[in-house]
């Protein structure tokens, strides 16, 4: 009954892979170097939207890390917000996906579909992808290799590098170097 997925993270790596059936799966691990209350993983289902959230204490920070691996059926809409954690998208297809990080890196490898990726200062790397890509960064690098489809890239002060692309390219930057 899930038609869309929202992931609200902070420090954990979020990994999305396609499901081999119509099931949605989650494997998760959160760790901290001290036992501190407030770290938790919650979920709620509302009108077909499954929302998964990583909760953490607003004070009393300790060293912490985590990983969420989500197995997602084709055709689902996925929205990821992950401030300092990485987003790893590998061999996915037929998803409408948006990913936003503040300082975390985003990797999209060997995938097909329409993706909107945004990071303030984390690097965004895309390899072997087919589909419409909208990629935005303020200062992180945007690195693309072997892509196909319409590209719309914006990077204010970070570099843009595109190697082997088939399709239209629209790029915009203020002070970053563009290599095509």
């Amino acid at each position: 009954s899930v038609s869309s997925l929202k992931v609200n993270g902070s420090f954990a790596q979020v990994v999305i892979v396609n499901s081999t059936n119509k099931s949605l799966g989650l494997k998760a691990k959160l760790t901290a170097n001290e036992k501190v209350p407030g770290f938790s993983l919650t979920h709620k289902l509302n009108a077909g939207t499954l929302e998964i959230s990583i909760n953490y204490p607003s004070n009393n920070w300790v060293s912490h890390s985590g990983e969420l691996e989500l197995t997602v059926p084709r055709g689902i809409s996925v929205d990821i917000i992950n401030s300092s954690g990485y987003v790893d998208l590998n061999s996915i297809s037929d998803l409408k996906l948006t990913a936003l990080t503040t300082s975390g890196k985003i990797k999209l490898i060997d995938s097909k579909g329409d993706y909107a990726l945004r990071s303030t200062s984390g690097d965004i790397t895309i390899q072997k992808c087919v589909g419409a890509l909208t990629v935005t960064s303020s200062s992180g690098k945007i690195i693309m290799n072997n892509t196909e489809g319409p590209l719309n890239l914006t990077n204010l002060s970070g570099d843009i590098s595109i190697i082997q692309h088939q399709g239209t390219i629209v790029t915009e930057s203020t002070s970053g170097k563009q290599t095509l």
Side-chain angles (χ1 to χ4, degrees):
S1 65
V2 175
S3 58
S4 66
L5 173 66
K6 289 187 177 189
V7 179
N8 297 310
S10 178
F11 55 86
Q13 179 179 10
V14 176
V15 178
I16 304 289
V17 295
N18 274 128
S19 174
T20 56
N21 54 36
K22 295 189 180 207
S23 297
L24 191 142
L26 169 65
K27 288 193 297 187
K29 179 179 181 180
L30 302 177
T31 60
N33 67 346
E34 293 178 31
K35 189 170 185 161
V36 176
F39 286 102
S40 67
L41 185 64
T42 59
H43 69 281
K44 64 181 175 181
L45 181 61
N46 185 15
T49 299
L50 177 62
E51 186 171 345
I52 299 172
S53 298
I54 296 175
N55 305 299
Y56 54 92
S58 60
N59 56 9
N60 196 7
W61 280 94
V62 297
S63 180
H64 52 277
S65 65
E67 181 175 327
L68 301 177
E69 182 178 312
L70 292 140
T71 307
V72 181
R74 298 181 197 294
I76 290 210
S77 173
V78 180
D79 186 18
I80 303 167
I81 299 173
N82 197 22
S83 60
S84 61
Y86 289 13
V87 175
D88 188 3
L89 312 163
N90 196 344
S91 300
I92 57 174
S93 63
D94 300 325
L95 298 176
K96 182 174 167 78
L97 187 136
T98 62
L100 168 65
T101 68
T102 303
S103 59
K105 294 179 181 181
I106 300 174
K107 287 186 180 179
L108 176 64
I109 310 293
D110 195 25
S111 298
K112 294 179 183 176
D114 297 340
Y115 304 101
L117 310 174
R118 182 182 188 134
S119 183
T120 303
S121 61
D123 294 347
I124 300 172
T125 303
I126 300 170
Q127 295 176 348
K128 297 181 186 175
C129 291
V130 176
L133 300 171
T134 302
V135 182
T136 307
S137 180
S138 293
S139 62
K141 293 178 188 172
I142 297 174
I143 303 163
M144 306 188 72
N145 187 2
N146 197 8
T147 54
E148 183 179 334
L151 295 181
N152 190 338
L153 311 176
T154 303
N155 200 349
L156 298 179
S157 63
D159 294 346
I160 295 173
S161 174
I162 302 171
I163 301 167
Q164 283 188 317
H165 177 74
Q166 293 182 28
T168 59
I169 300 172
V170 175
T171 65
E172 179 181 353
S173 63
T174 303
S175 62
K177 178 173 66 172
Q178 294 187 21
T179 306
L180 285 71

